[in-house]
Amino acid sequence: DVQMTQSPSTLSASVGDRVTITCRASHSISSWLAWYQQKPGEAPKLLIYKASTLESGVPSRFSGSGSGTEFTLTISSLQPEDFATYYCQQYYSYRDFGQGTKLEIK
Amino acid sequence: EVQLVESGGGLVKPGESLRLSCAASGFTFSRDWMSWVRQAPGKGLEWVGRIKSKADGGAADYAAPVKGRFTISRDESKNTLYLQMNSLESEDTAVYYCTREPQISGWNGWFDPWGLGTLVTVSS
């Protein structure tokens, strides 16, 4: 298994803020990383794959970066609909998720 | 439109079995690898297992907590994915999502889209 660790677990921010979520892998996963957004009562939604490729239809305020063991998801200017829980997922070896980061309204 | 619809969830007792189904439409089901992901109440996402396409050998792989108890299969003639769950435990209580691993340039591993999920409750 590849252990995926996200930080922080909870993040409080305001509309318009720039926020960054970090995901660390227990060993190198190259760029084989995806990010998802999940709202309460809904299925997760793909945002980014291959560490930095934005899924079609996802707003450009979302961006991903990193390779190896450290990755980030950045939202450049928070919108009201962005308050949700975010998960990273590696697919270098089988599949593993981070524990999630809950983005709350400040 | 790509669509995945799970069914078969419900309330079962510890030690019992249950089979989940996932009806796929809007894409070439036979070509893509498929996965099951679960989410216990109030918890994060946990990968359960995946099955490769028949063209890639059709093998299934499982996460450690379910290996030996769960079996993933697929029926290309019905565009349907299955999850057979045996010897269920209270820790298996979760919403189970069916999801596709789309291929781009020969690579896959991310999940898109996801079904709405089906709730499995294991309780005496």
Side-chain angles (χ1 to χ4, degrees), chain A residues 56-96:
Chain A
S56 175
V58 174
S60 59
R61 63 181 179 272
F62 291 91
S63 64
S65 65
S67 67
T69 62
E70 187 152 335
F71 302 85
T72 59
L73 172 70
T74 298
I75 309 173
S76 60
S77 178
L78 273 174
Q79 298 302 300
E81 61 268 29
D82 299 337
F83 292 95
T85 300
Y86 293 84
Y87 294 92
C88 62
Q89 175 240 329
Q90 70 82 19
Y91 49 98
Y92 173 82
S93 174
Y94 299 110
R95 282 86 176 99
D96 295 283

Side-chain angles (χ1 to χ4, degrees), chain A residues 7-30:
Chain A
S7 60
S9 296
T10 306
L11 179 57
S12 297
S14 302
V15 172
D17 284 353
R18 177 184 179 92
V19 299
T20 297
I21 298 168
T22 297
C23 177
R24 290 186 173 85
S26 58
H27 56 263
S28 177
I29 58 169
S30 186

Side-chain angles (χ1 to χ4, degrees), chain A residues 35-57:
Chain A
W35 289 97
Y36 302 87
Q37 176 192 68
Q38 186 180 33
K39 297 180 180 179
E42 298 183 5
K45 172 189 170 186
L46 176 69
L47 298 175
I48 286 167
Y49 60 95
K50 208 179 175 189
S52 61
T53 302
L54 199 66
E55 170 70 350
S56 175

Side-chain angles (χ1 to χ4, degrees), chain B residues 46-115:
Chain B
E46 180 185 25
W47 179 69
V48 172
R50 66 106 196 272
I51 187 166
K52 297 179 180 180
S53 62
K54 283 205 165 36
D56 288 329
D61 295 288
Y62 303 92
V66 308
K67 198 168 186 178
R69 299 188 298 124
F70 289 13
T71 302
I72 298 173
S73 61
R74 59 193 299 163
D75 185 338
E76 267 69 13
S77 69
K78 295 181 179 178
N79 280 0
T80 300
L81 177 72
Y82 300 101
L83 178 64
Q84 176 67 44
M85 303 184 292
N86 298 331
S87 303
L88 282 160
E89 306 166 352
S90 57
E91 292 78 14
D92 297 317
T93 294
V95 173
Y96 285 74
Y97 294 103
C98 162
T99 183
R100 179 180 77 136
E101 297 192 16
Q103 284 204 29
I104 295 179
S105 302
W107 297 103
N108 61 357
W110 59 96
F111 303 129
D112 181 55
W114 299 59

